[in-house]
Structures are given as structure tokens and as C-alpha cells.
Amino acid sequence: MQEKGNISIHTENIFPIIKKFLYSDNEIFLRELVSNAVDATQKIKRLSSLGQFNGELGDLQVEISFDEEKKTLTISDPGLGMTAEEIKKYINQIAFSGATEFVEKFKDAKDANELIGKFGMGFYSAFMVADQVEIHTLSYQDGAESARWICDGSTEFEITDGTRTERGTDVILHINPDAEEFLNKGKLQEILDKYCRFLPVPIKFGTNTESEPDGEDEEGKPKYTSVEVDNIINNTSPIWTKAPADLTDADYLAFYKELYPYTEDPLFWIHLNVDYPFNLTGVLYFPKVKNDFEIQRNKIKLFSRQVFITDEVKDIVPEFLMLLHGVIDSPDIPLNVSRSFLQADSNVKKINSYITRKVADKLGELYKKDRTGYEQKWQDIGLFIKYGMVSEEKFYDKAKDFALLVNTKNEYFTFDEYKEKVKDLQTDKEGNLVYIYTNDASKQDAYIQSANRKGYDVLVMNSPIDNHFINQLEQKLEKTSLKRVDADVADKLITKDENPASVLTEDQITKVKAVFEKAIQKPNMKVEVESINPEELPVHVSMDEFMRRMKDMAQMGGGMNFYGSLPESYKVAINGNHPLISRIAGIENEEEQLNLAKQAVDLAMLSQGLLAGADLTEFVRRSVQLI
């Protein structure tokens, strides 16, 4: 048999387009060809189990080999094989049935990710790295004859009688000079490890040398001999393909270490397994979440029937769950040309919702089962849960029952528990609850102590997401606002009717205000003299709670750039009832007055971390003089 022909393409030659546009992502050719080989091998196994193939199955493993001298790379499988007619049908016709549409649609494509996988491009991705591709194949069907197909990257092909004597297919790539990196053992091993390490059929790539016991020497010590064994690069039964009941904690931890060597053990995990209305399996791990989001992200690997696709899973997995680690595997996720970029459809949305629900259910279960253990994990999972509540409405609705608030005494409360704790003392004259928080307990210790003296409780809100979380709490919790502990003096944090009487006369108040305005001489600092508990500091410097919060969010990239660019403005509250202020009001020497006022203001600035540069140097010099 010998036949030459042309692949029926009614527009310009498609192969230069393949080479031109797909070159940047050329390593995926190996994934595509190995996946095809695995598929053919699984199909013969299936036919045998159904009684439609009665021959010997033999050793069902795919083999990858290369010849550096001949510049060939071969993918061999013991699968179904093909007849000459099937080659014409599957390679020449079906693979290019949409070629005209393909060229029209992608002629202006700029990225490989727009192309691979469209209209049978899986097999033809071989031409990204090969000048010529051969297929040697023998079908499993009784009486079938071996066939050979060869194509040099043009639309012309040739089919002749083949020489293969065993069922299956060899795909031989004659590697082009620009792609000779794929004739390197290390490079090929790296690609196989990336894409094929969990394929369901053993993949052989060369051999390894191992030592085996070989009796004892004259002194009775064990002897070893070196043997060559097949280098099987994949684990054909990863844990996500097994039933949770058949797995131990040690199995899950071992798999985590296989995926992420040199990382801390995860806190816990969720085994996903659903087959209706979509098919999805996988295991998601909760790592110890650090405060650096970016280090954590893109650790979930997406597979389709155990073939690695991508670790860009943001369309399937909700944004906040990108902090999880692990794998998900679904044949129902629609993939476009690169099999790496997802197209939004109903299955993806259902999968997204399912994963969110499973995560929320797992956290709720942990909270109910072991409240103490859950609290101990909060430092590691709190950031993750808050992130989810801020970014996903459905998750908030579930998480509000197991999210925790932590105070400076390291006590943990649910939202309802905390409301009960503080409602009596921390309700203002308008009937609104005020939650007080610190974002830096050591830096704001003096303010925390002042708040505690009044019986107020102070929450700790110091994670990168807390500015957004605080805003959300104010939106979600009825008649509740949050104030940072240093946003005002303790007496003013929660507005009540009981204000201490002023010990200063109106003239003294006017005089003190003028002294401090002259001492400060900064237009962005507004001076006010207030009647405050004499135990509080003489001067308090604060930024408006709303403005400071918006600026903090702008720094985090929270879409508040307008506020981030506004000049900073501060309120300087002078405690008119403090003895130092009465003393300043009674001093006749203006220089002494100004020195004391500057010192009091600088102390307040220092306590807020606002004193730096020449101002700090001047403060130190003045302090030495005063001593």
C-alpha cells in the first residue's frame, strides 16, 4: 500500500501558523502527545473489560524515548492502534475539519494560549518542534495491517504499509534545529514531571540504576549489586482518585509533601468528590497563611483526567480560595485552545459555588467539633476567612457563625458573643454600638490602657485585610461602628452625655489654643481644647477615623487612590483638665510657654509614630534642656 495526498485545507497553509504562533508555549506538545497515548491505552483496557477485545493486553505502559544522534523523539503506546483508513479519518480529516474557520479566527492571534487545542490541534502541536512527524501503528482489530503515515509540515502526507508488529502506535518526531532542547534528558524529565506525573497509565522514560541486596561478603556484611530498572515518572493513583475512607492522615500529608516539598504541614484539608451535576474530584489543603498574600497564591493545580493543565485557576476557584493549596480535577471544565484558559460557563460557576460551600462547611464543622482547637488555629486561618467574607457574599453568610473576633487579652468571641460582651458599656448616646480596635497593640499601648480604665474592650485588627474587614462589619452589623483606639482620647471614643466639667475659664481656653497654634504652626493640624479626664495625656494627636482608614486602604491598593493622594490632616486635642495645661495657661513667659507646649505636642506625636527627622532631633535636644 502506498498513497500520497493532500490534507484538505481550503485556505493558506496552516503549519506556518502553528509554528509562528505556538512557539512560545512549545513544551505543551509533549503533554498533548503523551495524553493521546494514555487515552489510547486506557481505551484498549476498557474494550478488554467489556469483552470486545480478547487478545493479551500485555504491559500497558507508555514509553518516551529520544535519539540525540538521529534527532528523534518517540512516544510509544500499546493502545488501540489505527488502520490506514482510521489515520485518514482521525489525522487528516477530523483534525482539520475546522481548519478554514481556525485560520480565519486566529490569523491575528498574538499568543499561543489562543490557539492550542482548537480543531484537533493537540496532535498537530508536534509541528511546533518537528520538521517531520511519522506515525507507525497497528490496530487491535483482527486481521489489521500495520500502517505508516508521514508528513513534513506541509499539507502533503504519505501513507504506506508499516513495519510495526505489535498493537499500538509510535509517534516519531524529527526535531527541528530550533527545538533541540527537547533532545535533552533533563529538559524532557522536567516537562514530564510537570504535566504527566499523575497520569493513570505508567509512563516510562529511560531507566534508573538501583542497588539490590546480593548476599554477604566474606566478613558477613551485606553486598549490593547495581541493576537497571524502568524510570516510571508518574504516580498512577494519586489520592484524589481514591475514596476518603481508604486514606489516612499520613496519606494526605505525604501527598502534600509530594506537591510542595520543604513546606510546613497544612492545618487541615478537604477531599472533594462530586459526580452530579458535574464531575469534580480533588483535595484542598489549608496552609498556615502568612501575611504576604502573594507568596501563598497560585498553589492549586488544575487537572483534567489526571493531566496537569494549569495552576491559574482563578476562574474556577473563588478569589479568596486562591490562598489554599492542593489539586482539583474535572473533565467538565471547558478549556479553550491552550487547555489552560477557562471559558465561563454554567459548570464553572457551579463548581465555584460548590467549592465555596464545601470550604465553609468544613470550617463550620471544625468550629462546632472543637472550639478550643479552632481558636488555636485562628491565627493561621483568620486572615483567609476574613478575606473570604470580604470578597464573597455567600461565604460571608456562612462564615458569620464561625468567624472570630480577638481582643488584646487574647480572648475569642463570635460576632454574637462579642455584641453581648460590650453592649452595656460601649453603646453611645444615639444607641449605636462602638467596637474599639488596635492595629498595633505595642505601639498603641497607652491608648489601650486608657480605654481599659473606662471598662472598654479593645479588639486586635492587625492583618493586611482588616481595613476592608472593618468596613464590612460596619455595613453588616446593625447600628455598629468601629474606631481605632488612638482615633481620639478615651473619653471621646464613645460619645456619651457624661462629660467632665472644664477647669479652664473661657479666656484661658482661648489663650491655650493660641499658644498651641503658635507652637505647632502647621496648617494640617487643627487645635481644639476639650474637657477630658485629667488622668489622660495632656495632648492627643489623631487623624479622622474615616480619612485614616481610606488612606490605609489606598496603600493596600483598595481602590481608594483619591484618598491616598490627599494631604494628611490631624486633630490636636488639648486636654484642658490636665495639670500641665493649667500650668501652661498660667505662665507669663512666652518662650517657656511655647517650649512646654511644643514638648507636649511632640510627646503626643511620638506616641503616634509621627515624629521624625529634624522634628525628632529638636525634640531630643529640648528634652535634654528640660531635664
Side-chain angles (χ1 to χ4, degrees), residues 438-454:
T438 173
N439 69 335
D440 189 332
S442 60
K443 184 176 164 185
Q444 294 154 4
D445 181 70
Y447 300 96
I448 293 168
Q449 288 192 33
S450 292
N452 289 162
R453 280 196 295 272
K454 292 191 68 67

Side-chain angles (χ1 to χ4, degrees), residues 406-440:
V406 188
N407 68 11
T408 53
K409 297 168 187 167
N410 209 33
E411 298 169 330
Y412 294 82
F413 306 90
T414 63
F415 290 178
D416 289 341
E417 289 167 352
Y418 196 70
K419 180 179 178 181
E420 283 300 310
K421 176 178 174 61
V422 302
K423 67 179 183 181
D424 292 337
L425 276 175
Q426 292 181 213
T427 300
D428 68 15
K429 63 182 181 181
E430 305 296 331
N432 297 308
L433 263 175
V434 179
Y435 292 174
I436 300 167
Y437 70 93
T438 173
N439 69 335
D440 189 332

Side-chain angles (χ1 to χ4, degrees), residues 120-353:
M121 291 295 286
F123 170 74
Y124 281 96
S125 64
F127 286 99
M128 288 192 291
V129 298
D131 286 330
Q132 189 178 72
V133 177
E134 294 180 61
I135 297 174
H136 294 259
T137 185
L138 176 61
S139 172
Y140 75 97
Q141 298 169 43
D142 290 339
E145 294 182 357
S146 175
R148 171 179 175 268
W149 175 93
I150 188 165
C151 180
D152 65 359
S154 69
T155 56
E156 293 180 0
F157 67 89
E158 182 180 345
I159 297 180
T160 60
D161 291 332
T163 56
R164 188 172 172 114
T165 56
E166 295 181 352
R167 179 199 75 236
T169 302
D170 296 327
V171 178
I172 303 171
L173 281 59
H174 295 264
I175 301 297
N176 69 44
D178 291 335
E180 288 185 8
E181 61 181 312
F182 297 109
L183 296 171
N184 175 278
K185 184 177 181 181
K187 177 68 173 177
L188 291 170
Q189 182 75 50
E190 177 190 324
I191 299 169
L192 291 169
D193 285 343
K194 179 176 179 180
Y195 292 107
C196 307
R197 66 191 290 201
F198 297 114
L199 280 171
V201 171
I203 312 292
K204 177 187 174 186
F205 179 54
T207 60
N208 287 328
T209 303
E210 292 185 357
S211 294
E212 281 188 357
D214 186 20
E216 297 179 348
D217 62 19
E218 294 171 357
E219 297 176 8
K221 293 178 181 176
K223 286 197 307 180
Y224 295 91
T225 185
S226 295
V227 293
E228 290 294 308
V229 297
D230 289 350
N231 174 31
I232 303 298
I233 61 100
N234 56 323
N235 168 2
T236 58
S237 301
I239 64 171
W240 77 82
T241 64
K242 300 174 183 177
D246 298 333
L247 297 164
T248 65
D249 287 357
D251 293 326
Y252 286 106
L253 290 170
F255 183 66
Y256 187 76
K257 290 295 184 186
E258 190 177 345
L259 289 175
Y260 314 105
Y262 317 114
T263 54
E264 289 183 84
D265 284 350
L267 297 163
F268 46 89
W269 49 84
I270 300 170
H271 197 127
L272 306 169
N273 195 347
V274 62
D275 53 20
Y276 182 83
F278 49 83
N279 190 293
L280 177 77
T281 54
V283 179
L284 293 177
Y285 293 89
F286 286 73
K288 292 183 176 178
V289 178
K290 307 292 188 267
N291 276 354
D292 188 337
F293 277 18
E294 293 311 311
I295 289 175
Q296 302 292 324
R297 299 166 68 82
N298 297 328
K299 294 293 181 69
I300 298 177
K301 300 176 185 298
L302 172 65
F303 291 77
S304 179
R305 294 186 177 91
Q306 294 173 236
V307 181
F308 174 69
I309 305 300
T310 182
D311 49 18
E312 287 281 345
V313 296
K314 59 186 174 64
D315 293 318
I316 305 173
V317 175
E319 171 70 17
F320 76 99
L321 293 179
M322 296 288 286
L323 296 176
L324 296 184
H325 296 174
V327 301
I328 51 179
D329 188 325
S330 176
D332 292 331
I333 295 169
L335 302 162
N336 78 359
V337 283
S338 75
R339 300 176 70 187
S340 306
F341 283 64
L342 300 163
Q343 300 163 334
D345 82 337
S346 59
N347 267 345
V348 170
K349 288 167 188 165
K350 286 175 194 166
I351 288 170
N352 188 302
S353 297

Side-chain angles (χ1 to χ4, degrees), residues 448-499:
I448 293 168
Q449 288 192 33
S450 292
N452 289 162
R453 280 196 295 272
K454 292 191 68 67
Y456 297 160
D457 192 74
V458 181
L459 293 170
V460 177
M461 294 282 190
N462 60 0
S463 80
I465 200 71
D466 274 333
N467 278 317
H468 298 274
F469 186 58
I470 287 164
N471 286 340
Q472 188 187 49
L473 289 180
E474 289 181 329
Q475 292 169 25
K476 295 286 188 181
L477 302 179
E478 189 179 354
K479 294 189 76 175
T480 302
S481 64
L482 282 89
K483 283 188 180 177
R484 203 165 86 179
V485 68
D486 60 346
D488 212 327
V489 292
D491 283 1
K492 303 286 183 178
L493 283 172
I494 301 173
T495 54
K496 300 195 176 185
D497 289 328
E498 69 261 14
N499 287 323

